[in-house]
Amino acid sequence: MALVHEPENDRFRLAMAASGIGMAIVDLHGRWVEVNPAFERMFGYSAAEVVGRPTSAVTHPDDIETSRLYLQGLIDGSIPMLDARKRYLHRNGRTVWAQANVAVMRDDGGAPMYLLVQLRDIGAELAAEETLKHRVDERAAALHASNRQLQLFADAVAHDLRAPLRSIESFSGLLADHAHDRLDETDRDYLARIRAAAERMTGLLDALNELSRATGAEMKAGPVDMGLLADWVSAELQDQEPHRQAQIEVQPRLLCEGDERLLKLMLAQLMHNAWKFARPGEPVRIEVSGEREDNLLRMVIRDHGVGFDMRYAHKLFEPFQRLHGPEQGGGHGLGLAIAQRIAERHHGRILADSQLDAGSTFVIELPAVAADEELH
């Protein structure tokens, strides 16, 4: 077939000839009718060599059947317009990757007349994508190896430090027991301080190990019921201090997507924080609730404790920053940093609000569980 010589078609041919991307007209039997100079440069064939030949002659063998189905779908209307990556063969035999954009030209009655094909060489783009992917994979592997070495180093340091700490705790305890009657009040105070310092150091090592795990541990994502985890943490807190009165209310079925082990660690840090900063002489009161907002789970942990001054809220999630002294229950300053690190690894965050002597509220934003993955 050939296009009727009309002014519109003449202008169309001029546009084809000037185009910087490959353009062609294909008949309904899948044969090349016309090709432009950019097409010739792209595949190494002259127009005289391809016109009248089937498009399969320059199509990669692995894409011939796919191309046949595309042609059929375009003609019968099941594919309104094609925009896909396809492989072709250059005259010298090398594979040419192209972004193919194909539309069917129809007459006034809607009957198909021919196909208009535009082909853009994307070989350089694919090569750049592959190079970038290779670099990303290399950096990911290097980062994983680095994190693994840091974890091994942290474990080794913690192990080597724990042995002398245990000795300090043990022998200072034995000395306090065996020499109790020979020690005066000052001596006993010194021993108590030694044991307390060793205990704090042990707690700090545990926290540093948890921070390392929160930062570098491999994540295994899946649907998680945060309500069940909060109940679990609540039971652990009450087991640690069974004589302390506590009122902990947990809303059931708070569903999110994430790593269960890390999310349980995050809740442990937040709920332990609420527990230890309860008002002296009063029962611990903690409420855990939440709701789904679009693709987010907004989980709220509210306590009725001593609270903190919001002027220092910017320090709250920084490692080793303490808003309360040891006499007020302040610890090693890593708990909330661990919690925030875990939330960030889940593409979430933790927000805080507080009022002195009225308690604190922590809002955790996490990816909500997909509708088709809800737990039953």
Side-chain angles (χ1 to χ4, degrees):
M1 62 160 283
L3 292 177
V4 177
H5 288 282
E6 294 179 353
E8 292 81 0
N9 290 332
D10 290 339
R11 285 193 292 271
F12 175 71
R13 284 191 174 87
L14 288 173
M16 275 187 64
S19 175
I21 64 172
M23 295 185 67
I25 295 171
V26 175
D27 67 20
L28 302 182
H29 299 289
R31 294 187 297 256
W32 302 110
V33 175
E34 293 187 35
V35 299
N36 72 343
F39 180 101
E40 295 176 304
R41 292 191 298 271
M42 188 172 175
F43 297 109
Y45 292 99
S46 67
E49 290 176 298
V50 296
V51 168
R53 298 179 65 191
T55 56
S56 59
V58 293
T59 300
H60 191 283
D62 293 343
D63 284 358
I64 288 177
E65 178 60 20
T66 302
S67 297
R68 186 188 68 79
L69 295 175
Y70 283 155
L71 176 63
Q72 179 181 325
L74 286 163
I75 292 173
D76 65 25
S78 60
I79 301 177
M81 186 182 71
L82 179 67
D83 187 18
R85 288 180 173 181
K86 290 184 60 182
R87 288 171 293 180
Y88 295 88
L89 292 177
H90 191 274
R91 181 172 188 158
N92 62 15
R94 67 178 173 86
T95 299
V96 177
W97 276 96
Q99 189 71 30
N101 185 282
V102 186
V104 179
M105 301 293 105
R106 300 179 183 273
D107 62 20
D108 293 339
M113 298 186 298
Y114 56 88
L115 289 80
L116 178 60
V117 181
Q118 298 182 75
L119 300 170
R120 181 171 60 86
D121 190 335
I122 58 172
E125 292 178 21
L126 293 179
E129 288 177 9
E130 187 62 29
T131 300
L132 180 60
K133 180 180 180 299
H134 181 67
R135 289 177 180 172
V136 169
D137 290 343
E138 282 186 335
R139 290 182 181 180
L143 180 60
H144 177 75
S146 176
N147 286 337
R148 178 62 179 159
Q149 290 299 318
L150 285 173
Q151 182 65 55
L152 290 173
F153 175 75
D155 291 344
V157 170
H159 179 271
D160 290 346
L161 286 176
R162 286 181 196 279
L165 283 172
R166 283 195 296 268
S167 296
I168 293 171
E169 290 177 331
S170 176
F171 285 111
S172 60
L174 290 172
L175 181 60
D177 292 339
H178 294 169
H180 183 272
D181 295 336
R182 287 175 288 164
L183 300 175
D184 60 23
E185 193 63 32
T186 300
D187 295 334
R188 286 193 288 270
D189 178 63
Y190 289 163
L191 276 176
R193 293 189 183 195
I194 292 171
R195 297 177 70 182
E199 288 175 3
R200 286 198 301 273
M201 188 63 182
T202 300
L204 178 58
L205 288 175
D206 290 338
L208 285 170
N209 187 57
E210 289 177 344
L211 180 62
S212 176
R213 184 154 59 94
T215 301
E218 181 181 355
M219 290 180 56
K220 297 179 180 179
V224 177
D225 189 335
M226 298 293 284
L228 286 176
L229 293 186
D231 282 331
W232 186 357
V233 173
S234 172
E236 290 179 340
L237 290 171
Q238 293 179 80
D239 285 344
Q240 290 168 8
E241 297 186 59
H243 302 298
R244 190 170 187 181
Q245 289 187 321
Q247 301 171 6
I248 303 178
E249 300 175 4
V250 178
Q251 178 182 327
R253 292 185 63 78
L254 300 172
L255 306 181
C256 75
E257 189 81 17
D259 183 288
E260 185 175 72
R261 296 170 306 157
L262 290 179
L263 291 174
K264 196 256 184 179
L265 175 59
M266 179 190 73
L267 281 181
Q269 302 298 333
L270 292 169
M271 293 180 68
H272 180 260
N273 196 70
W275 180 281
K276 70 180 178 181
F277 290 118
R279 283 200 288 262
E282 295 186 15
V284 177
R285 292 173 56 201
I286 304 174
E287 294 124 30
V288 180
S289 60
E291 61 181 351
R292 180 172 182 148
E293 295 183 5
D294 297 326
N295 294 322
L296 282 180
L297 171 67
R298 287 178 59 86
M299 187 173 177
V300 179
I301 298 178
R302 166 91 169 112
D303 68 61
H304 299 266
V306 298
F308 61 86
D309 192 334
M310 285 296 290
R311 288 180 300 172
Y312 306 106
H314 62 283
K315 297 183 177 181
L316 201 59
F317 300 106
E318 295 296 323
F320 304 111
Q321 296 294 325
R322 304 170 184 85
L323 302 191
H324 300 87
E327 69 283 354
Q328 299 172 299
H332 41 62
L334 287 173
L336 294 180
I338 292 169
Q340 185 73 288
R341 191 74 56 89
I342 293 172
E344 289 171 351
R345 289 196 66 192
H346 286 80
H347 307 290
R349 60 176 178 168
I350 301 175
L351 307 172
D353 188 34
S354 187
Q355 186 175 346
L356 284 172
D357 297 321
S360 303
T361 300
F362 288 85
V363 178
I364 312 149
E365 295 181 351
L366 295 168
V369 69
D372 58 352
E373 290 184 338
E374 286 200 2
L375 302 175
H376 299 288

